[in-house]
Amino acid sequence: MAETFVLIPGAGGSGWYWHRLVEELDRRGCEAVAVTLPADDDSAGLVEYADAVIEAIDGRTGLVLVAQSMGGFTAPLVCERVPVDLLVLLNAMVPAPGESPGEWWANTGHTQARAEQAARDGRSLAEEDLVADVFFHDVPPEVTAAAMAAGAPDQSETPFTRPWPLPAWPDVPTRFLQGRDDRFFPLEFQRRIARARLGIDVDEMPGGHLVALSRPTELADRLGAYLAFTVDRASIRDGFTQGHPIF
């Protein structure tokens, strides 16, 4: 049952984003597959991103997908093509049928929500640097330095122009985990989107948008708790199926 974490990055598609979390999951005896997406390929859209995830899965079973940010557009496509035990949305975008990632921003009211949160925090969007002050504000300096040395990954505009192709969210257990200190996708904004589009509540944890870089230990703990819950629920279900309720 659910033993492999498949980690889907956001815009830029870099599997490096997950490296600190992979170390933590490995320390706990869990297999983790950090996917790199063809983000710099102008011929690749959301379907091709899903192809890359499935190629990385390489026939494994017992899967927990973890989708960061824009990865929320890709992960459900994977769930339609391979059996997935659990989907975890991490600071993620939640698509509506037929909506492209490029349309998502205006459709969800993201700009206004971000400005309102900045005002509540006493921050000025006009004076903020998107990379340093919004994405990396709580990432350790040495990790930030490594990311800056590697350079920003290229991201093609192609997937932003193509509609999300599913008619509805896939029939797979879904959890939404949100960093309460995310300056890019504010917590209250994400709560509204998750309830409106998925009918679920958001679980929160400390950390900003790049929580896998800033708080990998806490994130691994939360994912482990999700995994344990999924296994326990399956055990209860199987007990009833076999005629032996277990309580």
Side-chain angles (χ1 to χ4, degrees), residues 4-10 13 15 18 33-38 45-60 63-68 70-84 87:
T4 299
F5 289 95
V6 180
L7 310 175
I8 304 172
W18 300 107
V33 177
V35 181
T36 294
L37 302 176
L46 297 172
V47 172
E48 288 74 23
Y49 286 13
D51 291 341
V53 176
I54 292 171
E55 182 177 356
I57 289 171
D58 193 26
R60 293 175 177 86
L63 305 176
V64 174
L65 301 191
V66 184
Q68 162 77 17
M70 186 182 166
F73 270 81
T74 300
L77 307 185
V78 177
C79 294
E80 288 288 280
R81 295 169 56 183
V82 298
V84 172
L87 169 56

Side-chain angles (χ1 to χ4, degrees), residues 17-178:
Y17 167 70
W18 300 107
H19 75 280
R20 300 190 78 202
L21 177 63
V22 170
E23 292 173 0
E24 290 294 334
L25 292 174
D26 182 67
R27 199 170 288 128
R28 290 160 170 76
C30 297
E31 182 180 17
V33 177
V35 181
T36 294
L37 302 176
D40 61 349
D41 183 352
D42 286 334
S43 70
L46 297 172
V47 172
E48 288 74 23
Y49 286 13
D51 291 341
V53 176
I54 292 171
E55 182 177 356
I57 289 171
D58 193 26
R60 293 175 177 86
T61 58
L63 305 176
V64 174
L65 301 191
V66 184
Q68 162 77 17
S69 196
M70 186 182 166
F73 270 81
T74 300
L77 307 185
V78 177
C79 294
E80 288 288 280
R81 295 169 56 183
V82 298
V84 172
D85 293 320
L86 178 67
L87 169 56
V88 180
L89 298 171
L90 179 63
N91 294 342
M93 300 166 75
V94 179
E99 179 181 67
S100 71
E103 295 169 330
W104 181 91
W105 310 96
N107 289 351
T108 59
H110 170 262
T111 299
Q112 180 179 349
R114 187 176 160 227
E116 290 173 349
Q117 185 61 53
R120 286 192 290 268
D121 294 344
R123 296 181 287 108
S124 170
L125 294 185
E127 297 175 0
E128 284 188 336
D129 179 86
L130 185 63
V131 175
D133 299 324
V134 177
F135 289 138
F136 283 88
H137 70 95
D138 66 334
V139 176
E142 66 277 11
V143 180
T144 299
M148 297 303 106
D154 292 330
Q155 174 61 61
S156 168
E157 288 298 315
T158 299
F160 289 94
T161 66
R162 296 183 180 178
W164 192 62
L166 297 186
W169 198 257
D171 184 18
V172 60
T174 302
R175 304 294 294 264
F176 200 121
L177 182 59
Q178 178 67 30

Side-chain angles (χ1 to χ4, degrees), residues 150-221:
D154 292 330
Q155 174 61 61
S156 168
E157 288 298 315
T158 299
F160 289 94
T161 66
R162 296 183 180 178
W164 192 62
L166 297 186
W169 198 257
D171 184 18
V172 60
T174 302
R175 304 294 294 264
F176 200 121
L177 182 59
Q178 178 67 30
R180 68 172 66 101
D181 308 306
D182 190 341
R183 295 178 177 179
F184 194 56
F185 293 162
L187 176 61
E188 292 306 318
F189 167 76
Q190 293 287 65
R191 282 183 173 142
R192 172 171 62 81
I193 299 302
R195 288 168 182 160
R197 296 194 167 191
L198 298 176
I200 63 175
D201 290 324
V202 165
D203 300 324
E204 61 179 271
M205 64 171 287
H209 192 65
L210 304 182
V211 70
L213 291 178
S214 63
R215 294 180 177 268
T217 301
E218 294 96 325
L219 179 55
D221 288 342

